[in-house]
Amino acid sequence: MKKQYWMLIAMMTAGTATFLLAFLRRREAAPANPYDRPAGGEREGEFELFIGS
């Protein structure tokens, strides 16, 4: 019976560690906002994106 408790504790510890590592990795690699304007001004290049009808 004690072996089952140790296995349960090991599995819960591994799951918690995996979750915390994934959470910390996600916080460090936060993506930039894809809708930010470019640094050079409103528009760069020859093409303009038009959404609508």
Side-chain angles (χ1 to χ4, degrees):
M1 194 86 173
K2 286 187 179 184
K3 288 182 182 180
Q4 289 179 348
Y5 287 129
W6 284 112
M7 183 60 79
L8 178 63
I9 290 170
M11 289 174 56
M12 290 180 67
T13 304
T16 303
T18 303
F19 173 77
L20 289 176
L21 287 174
F23 181 73
L24 291 175
R25 187 179 283 180
R26 184 177 177 195
R27 282 183 65 193
E28 289 175 359
N33 189 355
Y35 300 108
D36 283 344
R37 289 185 176 173
E42 273 192 43
R43 219 173 70 159
E44 288 184 4
E46 300 176 12
F47 300 100
E48 191 172 326
L49 178 63
F50 178 74
I51 300 175
S53 56

Short mmCIF file of all heavy atoms in Angstrom, two decimals:
data_model
loop_
_atom_site.label_atom_id
_atom_site.label_comp_id
_atom_site.label_asym_id
_atom_site.label_seq_id
_atom_site.Cartn_x
_atom_site.Cartn_y
_atom_site.Cartn_z
N MET A 1 0.82 -1.20 0.00
CA MET A 1 0.00 0.00 0.00
C MET A 1 0.86 1.26 0.00
O MET A 1 0.50 2.24 -0.62
CB MET A 1 -0.91 -0.04 1.24
CG MET A 1 -2.02 0.95 1.21
SD MET A 1 -3.40 0.26 0.33
CE MET A 1 -4.58 1.51 0.62
N LYS A 2 2.02 1.20 0.67
CA LYS A 2 2.87 2.38 0.71
C LYS A 2 3.45 2.71 -0.65
O LYS A 2 3.68 3.87 -0.96
CB LYS A 2 4.00 2.18 1.73
CG LYS A 2 3.53 2.27 3.15
CD LYS A 2 4.72 2.24 4.09
CE LYS A 2 4.23 2.37 5.52
NZ LYS A 2 5.35 2.43 6.46
N LYS A 3 3.70 1.68 -1.49
CA LYS A 3 4.24 1.93 -2.82
C LYS A 3 3.27 2.76 -3.65
O LYS A 3 3.67 3.60 -4.45
CB LYS A 3 4.55 0.62 -3.52
CG LYS A 3 5.75 -0.10 -2.98
CD LYS A 3 6.01 -1.37 -3.78
CE LYS A 3 7.21 -2.11 -3.20
NZ LYS A 3 7.48 -3.34 -3.96
N GLN A 4 1.97 2.53 -3.47
CA GLN A 4 0.97 3.29 -4.22
C GLN A 4 0.99 4.75 -3.81
O GLN A 4 0.83 5.63 -4.65
CB GLN A 4 -0.41 2.69 -4.01
CG GLN A 4 -0.60 1.36 -4.69
CD GLN A 4 -1.98 0.78 -4.43
OE1 GLN A 4 -2.71 1.26 -3.57
NE2 GLN A 4 -2.32 -0.28 -5.15
N TYR A 5 1.17 5.01 -2.52
CA TYR A 5 1.24 6.40 -2.06
C TYR A 5 2.45 7.11 -2.64
O TYR A 5 2.36 8.26 -3.07
CB TYR A 5 1.27 6.47 -0.53
CG TYR A 5 -0.05 6.13 0.11
CD1 TYR A 5 -0.13 5.20 1.12
CD2 TYR A 5 -1.22 6.76 -0.30
CE1 TYR A 5 -1.33 4.89 1.72
CE2 TYR A 5 -2.43 6.44 0.28
CZ TYR A 5 -2.49 5.52 1.30
OH TYR A 5 -3.69 5.21 1.88
N TRP A 6 3.60 6.43 -2.66
CA TRP A 6 4.80 7.05 -3.21
C TRP A 6 4.64 7.31 -4.70
O TRP A 6 5.09 8.34 -5.21
CB TRP A 6 6.04 6.20 -2.94
CG TRP A 6 6.51 6.30 -1.53
CD1 TRP A 6 6.48 5.32 -0.59
CD2 TRP A 6 7.05 7.46 -0.88
NE1 TRP A 6 6.97 5.79 0.60
CE2 TRP A 6 7.34 7.10 0.45
CE3 TRP A 6 7.32 8.75 -1.30
CZ2 TRP A 6 7.88 8.00 1.35
CZ3 TRP A 6 7.87 9.65 -0.40
CH2 TRP A 6 8.15 9.27 0.91
N MET A 7 4.00 6.41 -5.41
CA MET A 7 3.77 6.60 -6.84
C MET A 7 2.83 7.77 -7.07
O MET A 7 3.04 8.59 -7.97
CB MET A 7 3.20 5.32 -7.48
CG MET A 7 3.00 5.41 -8.97
SD MET A 7 4.49 5.72 -9.89
CE MET A 7 5.19 4.09 -9.91
N LEU A 8 1.79 7.88 -6.26
CA LEU A 8 0.86 9.00 -6.38
C LEU A 8 1.57 10.32 -6.10
O LEU A 8 1.38 11.31 -6.83
CB LEU A 8 -0.32 8.81 -5.41
CG LEU A 8 -1.36 9.93 -5.38
CD1 LEU A 8 -2.04 10.05 -6.73
CD2 LEU A 8 -2.37 9.68 -4.29
N ILE A 9 2.39 10.35 -5.07
CA ILE A 9 3.13 11.57 -4.74
C ILE A 9 4.09 11.94 -5.87
O ILE A 9 4.19 13.11 -6.25
CB ILE A 9 3.87 11.39 -3.40
CG1 ILE A 9 2.88 11.35 -2.25
CG2 ILE A 9 4.89 12.50 -3.18
CD1 ILE A 9 3.49 10.93 -0.92
N ALA A 10 4.77 10.95 -6.44
CA ALA A 10 5.70 11.21 -7.54
C ALA A 10 4.97 11.75 -8.77
O ALA A 10 5.44 12.70 -9.41
CB ALA A 10 6.47 9.94 -7.88
N MET A 11 3.83 11.17 -9.08
CA MET A 11 3.07 11.63 -10.25
C MET A 11 2.52 13.03 -10.04
O MET A 11 2.54 13.85 -10.96
CB MET A 11 1.95 10.64 -10.56
CG MET A 11 2.46 9.33 -11.11
SD MET A 11 1.19 8.07 -11.32
CE MET A 11 0.00 8.88 -12.35
N MET A 12 2.04 13.34 -8.86
CA MET A 12 1.53 14.68 -8.59
C MET A 12 2.65 15.72 -8.61
O MET A 12 2.47 16.83 -9.12
CB MET A 12 0.80 14.71 -7.25
CG MET A 12 -0.51 13.94 -7.27
SD MET A 12 -1.37 13.96 -5.70
CE MET A 12 -1.81 15.68 -5.59
N THR A 13 3.81 15.35 -8.10
CA THR A 13 4.95 16.26 -8.12
C THR A 13 5.40 16.53 -9.56
O THR A 13 5.67 17.67 -9.93
CB THR A 13 6.12 15.67 -7.30
OG1 THR A 13 5.65 15.40 -5.98
CG2 THR A 13 7.29 16.61 -7.25
N ALA A 14 5.47 15.49 -10.37
CA ALA A 14 5.87 15.66 -11.77
C ALA A 14 4.86 16.52 -12.53
O ALA A 14 5.25 17.39 -13.32
CB ALA A 14 6.02 14.30 -12.43
N GLY A 15 3.59 16.29 -12.29
CA GLY A 15 2.56 17.09 -12.96
C GLY A 15 2.62 18.55 -12.55
O GLY A 15 2.50 19.45 -13.39
N THR A 16 2.82 18.80 -11.27
CA THR A 16 2.91 20.18 -10.79
C THR A 16 4.14 20.87 -11.36
O THR A 16 4.07 22.03 -11.79
CB THR A 16 2.96 20.20 -9.24
OG1 THR A 16 1.81 19.53 -8.74
CG2 THR A 16 3.01 21.61 -8.72
N ALA A 17 5.27 20.17 -11.37
CA ALA A 17 6.49 20.75 -11.92
C ALA A 17 6.33 21.07 -13.40
O ALA A 17 6.76 22.13 -13.87
CB ALA A 17 7.66 19.80 -11.70
N THR A 18 5.70 20.17 -14.15
CA THR A 18 5.48 20.41 -15.57
C THR A 18 4.60 21.62 -15.80
O THR A 18 4.87 22.47 -16.66
CB THR A 18 4.83 19.17 -16.22
OG1 THR A 18 5.66 18.05 -15.98
CG2 THR A 18 4.64 19.36 -17.70
N PHE A 19 3.54 21.75 -15.02
CA PHE A 19 2.63 22.89 -15.14
C PHE A 19 3.36 24.19 -14.83
O PHE A 19 3.24 25.18 -15.56
CB PHE A 19 1.44 22.71 -14.20
CG PHE A 19 0.55 23.92 -14.14
CD1 PHE A 19 -0.33 24.19 -15.15
CD2 PHE A 19 0.62 24.79 -13.06
CE1 PHE A 19 -1.15 25.31 -15.10
CE2 PHE A 19 -0.18 25.91 -13.00
CZ PHE A 19 -1.07 26.17 -14.02
N LEU A 20 4.13 24.22 -13.74
CA LEU A 20 4.83 25.45 -13.37
C LEU A 20 5.88 25.84 -14.39
O LEU A 20 6.02 27.03 -14.72
CB LEU A 20 5.46 25.28 -11.98
CG LEU A 20 4.47 25.22 -10.82
CD1 LEU A 20 5.21 24.95 -9.51
CD2 LEU A 20 3.68 26.52 -10.72
N LEU A 21 6.62 24.87 -14.92
CA LEU A 21 7.61 25.19 -15.95
C LEU A 21 6.96 25.74 -17.21
O LEU A 21 7.45 26.69 -17.81
CB LEU A 21 8.45 23.95 -16.27
CG LEU A 21 9.46 23.55 -15.21
CD1 LEU A 21 10.10 22.22 -15.59
CD2 LEU A 21 10.52 24.62 -15.03
N ALA A 22 5.84 25.15 -17.62
CA ALA A 22 5.13 25.64 -18.81
C ALA A 22 4.60 27.04 -18.56
O ALA A 22 4.64 27.90 -19.45
CB ALA A 22 4.00 24.69 -19.18
N PHE A 23 4.10 27.30 -17.38
CA PHE A 23 3.55 28.62 -17.05
C PHE A 23 4.66 29.67 -17.06
O PHE A 23 4.49 30.76 -17.62
CB PHE A 23 2.87 28.56 -15.68
CG PHE A 23 2.25 29.86 -15.26
CD1 PHE A 23 1.09 30.31 -15.87
CD2 PHE A 23 2.83 30.63 -14.27
CE1 PHE A 23 0.51 31.51 -15.49
CE2 PHE A 23 2.26 31.82 -13.88
CZ PHE A 23 1.11 32.27 -14.50
N LEU A 24 5.80 29.35 -16.46
CA LEU A 24 6.91 30.30 -16.42
C LEU A 24 7.48 30.54 -17.82
O LEU A 24 7.82 31.67 -18.17
CB LEU A 24 8.00 29.81 -15.48
CG LEU A 24 7.63 29.83 -14.00
CD1 LEU A 24 8.75 29.21 -13.17
CD2 LEU A 24 7.36 31.25 -13.53
N ARG A 25 7.56 29.50 -18.63
CA ARG A 25 8.07 29.66 -19.98
C ARG A 25 7.13 30.52 -20.81
O ARG A 25 7.56 31.32 -21.64
CB ARG A 25 8.24 28.29 -20.63
CG ARG A 25 8.91 28.35 -21.97
CD ARG A 25 9.08 26.98 -22.55
NE ARG A 25 10.19 26.30 -21.90
CZ ARG A 25 10.58 25.08 -22.20
NH1 ARG A 25 9.93 24.40 -23.12
NH2 ARG A 25 11.61 24.53 -21.61
N ARG A 26 5.83 30.38 -20.57
CA ARG A 26 4.85 31.17 -21.33
C ARG A 26 4.94 32.65 -20.95
O ARG A 26 4.78 33.52 -21.79
CB ARG A 26 3.46 30.64 -21.03
CG ARG A 26 2.38 31.32 -21.82
CD ARG A 26 1.04 30.71 -21.54
NE ARG A 26 0.01 31.41 -22.26
CZ ARG A 26 -1.28 31.31 -22.01
NH1 ARG A 26 -1.68 30.48 -21.09
NH2 ARG A 26 -2.15 31.98 -22.69
N ARG A 27 5.19 32.94 -19.67
CA ARG A 27 5.30 34.33 -19.24
C ARG A 27 6.52 35.01 -19.83
O ARG A 27 6.47 36.18 -20.18
CB ARG A 27 5.38 34.41 -17.71
CG ARG A 27 4.04 34.24 -17.04
CD ARG A 27 4.14 34.39 -15.56
NE ARG A 27 4.53 35.75 -15.20
CZ ARG A 27 4.95 36.12 -14.00
NH1 ARG A 27 5.05 35.23 -13.05
NH2 ARG A 27 5.28 37.34 -13.75
N GLU A 28 7.63 34.29 -19.96
CA GLU A 28 8.86 34.88 -20.49
C GLU A 28 8.74 35.18 -21.98
O GLU A 28 9.24 36.19 -22.44
CB GLU A 28 10.03 33.93 -20.26
CG GLU A 28 10.44 33.82 -18.81
CD GLU A 28 11.52 32.78 -18.60
OE1 GLU A 28 11.93 32.15 -19.60
OE2 GLU A 28 11.93 32.59 -17.45
N ALA A 29 8.10 34.33 -22.72
CA ALA A 29 8.02 34.47 -24.17
C ALA A 29 6.69 35.06 -24.59
O ALA A 29 6.00 34.54 -25.45
CB ALA A 29 8.24 33.12 -24.83
N ALA A 30 6.31 36.19 -23.98
CA ALA A 30 5.05 36.83 -24.33
C ALA A 30 5.17 37.44 -25.73
O ALA A 30 6.09 38.21 -26.00
CB ALA A 30 4.70 37.91 -23.32
N PRO A 31 4.28 37.09 -26.65
CA PRO A 31 4.38 37.62 -28.01
C PRO A 31 4.00 39.11 -28.05
O PRO A 31 3.23 39.60 -27.23
CB PRO A 31 3.36 36.78 -28.78
CG PRO A 31 2.37 36.36 -27.76
CD PRO A 31 3.14 36.20 -26.48
N ALA A 32 4.57 39.79 -29.01
CA ALA A 32 4.23 41.20 -29.21
C ALA A 32 2.81 41.29 -29.76
O ALA A 32 2.31 40.37 -30.41
CB ALA A 32 5.20 41.84 -30.17
N ASN A 33 2.18 42.40 -29.52
CA ASN A 33 0.85 42.63 -30.02
C ASN A 33 0.90 42.71 -31.55
O ASN A 33 1.59 43.57 -32.08
CB ASN A 33 0.29 43.92 -29.42
CG ASN A 33 -1.17 44.10 -29.73
OD1 ASN A 33 -1.76 43.31 -30.46
ND2 ASN A 33 -1.77 45.13 -29.18
N PRO A 34 0.20 41.85 -32.28
CA PRO A 34 0.32 41.86 -33.74
C PRO A 34 -0.31 43.08 -34.39
O PRO A 34 -0.13 43.30 -35.58
CB PRO A 34 -0.41 40.59 -34.17
CG PRO A 34 -1.35 40.31 -33.06
CD PRO A 34 -0.68 40.81 -31.80
N TYR A 35 -1.02 43.89 -33.65
CA TYR A 35 -1.68 45.05 -34.23
C TYR A 35 -0.97 46.35 -33.92
O TYR A 35 -1.49 47.42 -34.17
CB TYR A 35 -3.13 45.11 -33.73
CG TYR A 35 -3.90 43.88 -34.13
CD1 TYR A 35 -4.25 42.92 -33.20
CD2 TYR A 35 -4.23 43.65 -35.45
CE1 TYR A 35 -4.92 41.78 -33.56
CE2 TYR A 35 -4.91 42.50 -35.83
CZ TYR A 35 -5.25 41.59 -34.89
OH TYR A 35 -5.92 40.45 -35.26
N ASP A 36 0.25 46.27 -33.38
CA ASP A 36 1.03 47.49 -33.15
C ASP A 36 1.43 48.10 -34.48
O ASP A 36 1.70 47.42 -35.45
CB ASP A 36 2.29 47.18 -32.34
CG ASP A 36 1.99 46.98 -30.87
OD1 ASP A 36 0.89 47.39 -30.44
OD2 ASP A 36 2.85 46.43 -30.17
N ARG A 37 1.51 49.42 -34.49
CA ARG A 37 1.96 50.10 -35.70
C ARG A 37 3.47 49.90 -35.85
O ARG A 37 4.18 49.79 -34.87
CB ARG A 37 1.66 51.59 -35.61
CG ARG A 37 0.20 51.89 -35.71
CD ARG A 37 -0.02 53.37 -35.74
NE ARG A 37 -1.42 53.65 -35.92
CZ ARG A 37 -1.96 54.84 -35.86
NH1 ARG A 37 -1.20 55.88 -35.62
NH2 ARG A 37 -3.24 55.01 -36.04
N PRO A 38 3.96 49.88 -37.07
CA PRO A 38 5.40 49.75 -37.26
C PRO A 38 6.14 50.96 -36.71
O PRO A 38 5.57 52.05 -36.57
CB PRO A 38 5.56 49.66 -38.77
CG PRO A 38 4.22 49.70 -39.37
CD PRO A 38 3.21 49.88 -38.29
N ALA A 39 7.41 50.79 -36.45
CA ALA A 39 8.20 51.87 -35.85
C ALA A 39 8.36 53.05 -36.80
O ALA A 39 8.48 54.19 -36.37
CB ALA A 39 9.56 51.33 -35.44
N GLY A 40 8.36 52.83 -38.12
CA GLY A 40 8.61 53.90 -39.08
C GLY A 40 7.40 54.76 -39.38
O GLY A 40 7.51 55.75 -40.10
N GLY A 41 6.24 54.46 -38.90
CA GLY A 41 5.05 55.25 -39.20
C GLY A 41 3.85 54.35 -39.35
O GLY A 41 3.87 53.20 -38.94
N GLU A 42 2.81 54.88 -39.95
CA GLU A 42 1.58 54.10 -40.08
C GLU A 42 1.71 52.98 -41.10
O GLU A 42 1.12 51.94 -40.95
CB GLU A 42 0.43 55.01 -40.50
CG GLU A 42 -0.26 55.65 -39.34
CD GLU A 42 -1.55 56.30 -39.76
OE1 GLU A 42 -2.30 55.70 -40.55
OE2 GLU A 42 -1.81 57.40 -39.29
N ARG A 43 2.47 53.22 -42.14
CA ARG A 43 2.51 52.29 -43.26
C ARG A 43 3.94 52.09 -43.72
O ARG A 43 4.71 53.02 -43.80
CB ARG A 43 1.71 52.90 -44.40
CG ARG A 43 0.90 51.97 -45.17
CD ARG A 43 0.06 52.72 -46.13
NE ARG A 43 0.85 53.31 -47.20
CZ ARG A 43 0.35 53.67 -48.37
NH1 ARG A 43 -0.91 53.54 -48.60
NH2 ARG A 43 1.11 54.20 -49.30
N GLU A 44 4.27 50.87 -44.06
CA GLU A 44 5.56 50.57 -44.65
C GLU A 44 5.33 49.68 -45.85
O GLU A 44 4.53 48.75 -45.79
CB GLU A 44 6.47 49.85 -43.65
CG GLU A 44 6.98 50.74 -42.56
CD GLU A 44 7.94 50.01 -41.65
OE1 GLU A 44 8.26 48.84 -41.93
OE2 GLU A 44 8.37 50.60 -40.66
N GLY A 45 6.00 49.96 -46.94
CA GLY A 45 5.84 49.13 -48.13
C GLY A 45 4.84 49.73 -49.10
O GLY A 45 4.35 50.84 -48.93
N GLU A 46 4.56 48.95 -50.14
CA GLU A 46 3.70 49.44 -51.22
C GLU A 46 2.24 49.08 -51.04
O GLU A 46 1.39 49.63 -51.69
CB GLU A 46 4.18 48.88 -52.55
CG GLU A 46 5.61 49.25 -52.90
CD GLU A 46 6.05 48.59 -54.18
OE1 GLU A 46 5.19 48.03 -54.88
OE2 GLU A 46 7.25 48.62 -54.47
N PHE A 47 1.95 48.10 -50.19
CA PHE A 47 0.59 47.57 -50.12
C PHE A 47 -0.13 48.06 -48.88
O PHE A 47 0.48 48.31 -47.85
CB PHE A 47 0.63 46.05 -50.13
CG PHE A 47 1.27 45.49 -51.36
CD1 PHE A 47 2.58 45.06 -51.34
CD2 PHE A 47 0.57 45.45 -52.55
CE1 PHE A 47 3.18 44.56 -52.46
CE2 PHE A 47 1.16 44.96 -53.69
CZ PHE A 47 2.48 44.52 -53.66
N GLU A 48 -1.42 48.21 -49.02
CA GLU A 48 -2.25 48.66 -47.91
C GLU A 48 -3.34 47.61 -47.69
O GLU A 48 -3.95 47.13 -48.65
CB GLU A 48 -2.89 50.00 -48.30
CG GLU A 48 -3.54 50.69 -47.15
CD GLU A 48 -3.99 52.10 -47.54
OE1 GLU A 48 -3.32 52.75 -48.35
OE2 GLU A 48 -5.05 52.51 -47.06
N LEU A 49 -3.57 47.27 -46.45
CA LEU A 49 -4.57 46.27 -46.14
C LEU A 49 -5.92 46.94 -45.98
O LEU A 49 -6.06 47.90 -45.21
CB LEU A 49 -4.19 45.54 -44.84
CG LEU A 49 -5.17 44.48 -44.35
CD1 LEU A 49 -5.26 43.35 -45.36
CD2 LEU A 49 -4.74 43.95 -43.00
N PHE A 50 -6.91 46.46 -46.72
CA PHE A 50 -8.26 47.00 -46.62
C PHE A 50 -9.19 45.88 -46.20
O PHE A 50 -9.31 44.87 -46.88
CB PHE A 50 -8.71 47.58 -47.96
CG PHE A 50 -10.11 48.11 -47.92
CD1 PHE A 50 -10.41 49.30 -47.27
CD2 PHE A 50 -11.14 47.40 -48.50
CE1 PHE A 50 -11.70 49.78 -47.23
CE2 PHE A 50 -12.44 47.86 -48.46
CZ PHE A 50 -12.72 49.07 -47.83
N ILE A 51 -9.84 46.07 -45.06
CA ILE A 51 -10.79 45.08 -44.56
C ILE A 51 -12.16 45.73 -44.57
O ILE A 51 -12.36 46.78 -43.97
CB ILE A 51 -10.43 44.61 -43.15
CG1 ILE A 51 -9.05 43.97 -43.15
CG2 ILE A 51 -11.47 43.63 -42.63
CD1 ILE A 51 -8.55 43.60 -41.78
N GLY A 52 -13.09 45.13 -45.23
CA GLY A 52 -14.45 45.68 -45.28
C GLY A 52 -15.01 45.53 -46.67
O GLY A 52 -14.40 44.98 -47.57
N SER A 53 -16.19 46.07 -46.84
CA SER A 53 -16.79 45.95 -48.16
C SER A 53 -17.18 47.32 -48.66
O SER A 53 -17.20 48.28 -47.98
CB SER A 53 -18.02 45.05 -48.11
OG SER A 53 -18.94 45.54 -47.15
#
